[in-house]
Amino acid sequence: AQKVTQAQTEISVVEKEDVTLDCVYETRDTTYYLFWYKQPPSGELVFLIRRNSFDEQNEISGRYSWNFQKSTSSFNFTITASQVVDSAVYFCALSENSNAGGTSYGKLTFGQGTILTVHP
Amino acid sequence: KAGVTQTPRYLIKTRGQQVTLSCSPISGHRSVSWYQQTPGQGLQFLFEYFSETQRNKGNFPGRFSGRQFSNSRSEMNVSTLELGDSALYLCASSLGRGRDTQYFGPGTRLTVL
């Protein structure tokens, strides 16, 4: 069965510090998809990024960057020069290949989330 | 495009009652997934509907059910409410293929007294 682990329960930083959120996953599928979502206090999950298991190219988007390493089953997320507005709960999620059968359709397996607090 | 909408945003019910939550997906999306979020269990998958058919179901009791209409709108129903059903219920829509991103609505906060 698939599993996602976010070992960091809470992180507290001061504005402008860089912060990395860790995510480790387990799956027996060779084709799968990884996601990061952000949940601000309003409650809505906001999509940040998707990666498939064949694409290990790391990406930088503004202050956000992602490090996907298949060899260690990790998909870490870094915020550079953090801001107070980055304060939220961040979730890593795994979606397995739907072609494997009905047990995968529409199902995201989430980590427990990391609470990020950025202080001014 | 308008995002995923959920109604109502807040609900207060008492034990034993039933409740129906509604979700309208992004236009063109045919898949709707439902999740329950609680402080203790985190985000857990309830079920997924695609073209009015339930394709997948999580490990929840039969008191939790859902359906999808021809316009892709979905409802979930919880019968005989228990205190432990208090949670944020989130729905998400997507095009319906495994690789597609799920986009979430604002959620319905259910409180069972």
Side-chain angles (χ1 to χ4, degrees):
Chain A
Q2 62 270 36
K3 183 179 178 182
V4 177
T5 302
Q6 294 178 252
Q8 304 151 308
T9 305
E10 289 191 57
I11 298 177
S12 182
V13 299
V14 176
E15 212 170 17
K16 296 183 184 174
E17 282 186 34
D18 298 346
V19 57
T20 294
L21 309 180
D22 298 333
C23 173
V24 174
Y25 61 92
E26 295 176 28
T27 177
R28 284 180 284 187
D29 254 9
T30 54
T31 301
Y32 51 88
Y33 306 89
L34 295 162
F35 302 80
W36 275 97
Y37 286 88
K38 171 183 177 180
Q39 188 175 41
S42 60
E44 181 172 347
L45 281 168
V46 177
F47 165 70
L48 296 176
I49 191 171
R50 179 187 75 206
R51 270 289 173 269
N52 69 50
S53 52
F54 294 103
D55 179 9
E56 289 193 70
Q57 181 178 358
N58 295 316
E59 179 176 331
I60 297 175
S61 175
R63 296 185 299 108
Y64 298 162
S65 62
W66 292 269
N67 186 343
F68 175 35
Q69 291 194 348
K70 206 169 177 179
S71 59
T72 56
S73 297
S74 65
F75 184 44
N76 298 336
F77 169 46
T78 297
I79 302 174
T80 302
S82 59
Q83 300 175 0
V84 173
V85 294
D86 295 327
S87 297
V89 184
Y90 289 82
F91 291 95
C92 180
L94 167 69
S95 172
E96 292 184 327
N97 182 17
S98 296
N99 293 335
T103 58
S104 302
Y105 288 127
K107 177 182 178 180
L108 288 173
T109 298
F110 286 89
Q112 287 298 311
T114 297
I115 302 170
L116 173 64
T117 304
V118 181
H119 299 281
Chain B
K1 272 187 182 178
V4 179
T5 58
Q6 290 186 246
T7 56
R9 293 293 311 278
Y10 301 92
L11 268 178
I12 300 176
K13 293 286 187 179
T14 56
R15 277 180 298 175
Q17 287 187 309
Q18 76 165 14
V19 66
T20 299
L21 313 182
S22 180
C23 173
S24 292
I26 292 170
S27 177
H29 285 187
R30 295 167 65 190
S31 169
V32 174
S33 296
W34 288 88
Y35 296 85
Q36 180 195 65
Q37 185 177 23
T38 59
Q41 298 299 317
L43 278 154
Q44 293 186 290
F45 172 75
L46 281 156
F47 31 64
E48 187 255 7
Y49 286 85
F50 180 84
S51 292
E52 302 180 66
T53 300
Q54 185 183 85
R55 289 196 299 186
N56 198 3
K57 188 177 189 304
N59 294 326
F60 279 83
R63 299 186 297 107
F64 291 82
S65 63
R67 59 178 176 169
Q68 187 179 36
F69 302 95
S70 58
N71 62 359
S72 295
R73 189 177 69 86
S74 177
E75 289 181 347
M76 69 162 281
N77 182 277
V78 187
S79 62
T80 319
L81 284 166
E82 300 177 359
L83 294 178
D85 296 333
S86 295
L88 179 66
Y89 290 88
L90 292 159
C91 83
S93 77
S94 77
L95 292 172
R97 301 163 300 185
R99 61 184 178 273
D100 294 321
T101 298
Q102 292 186 26
Y103 295 92
F104 284 80
T108 295
R109 173 77 62 184
L110 172 65
T111 302
V112 182
L113 302 176

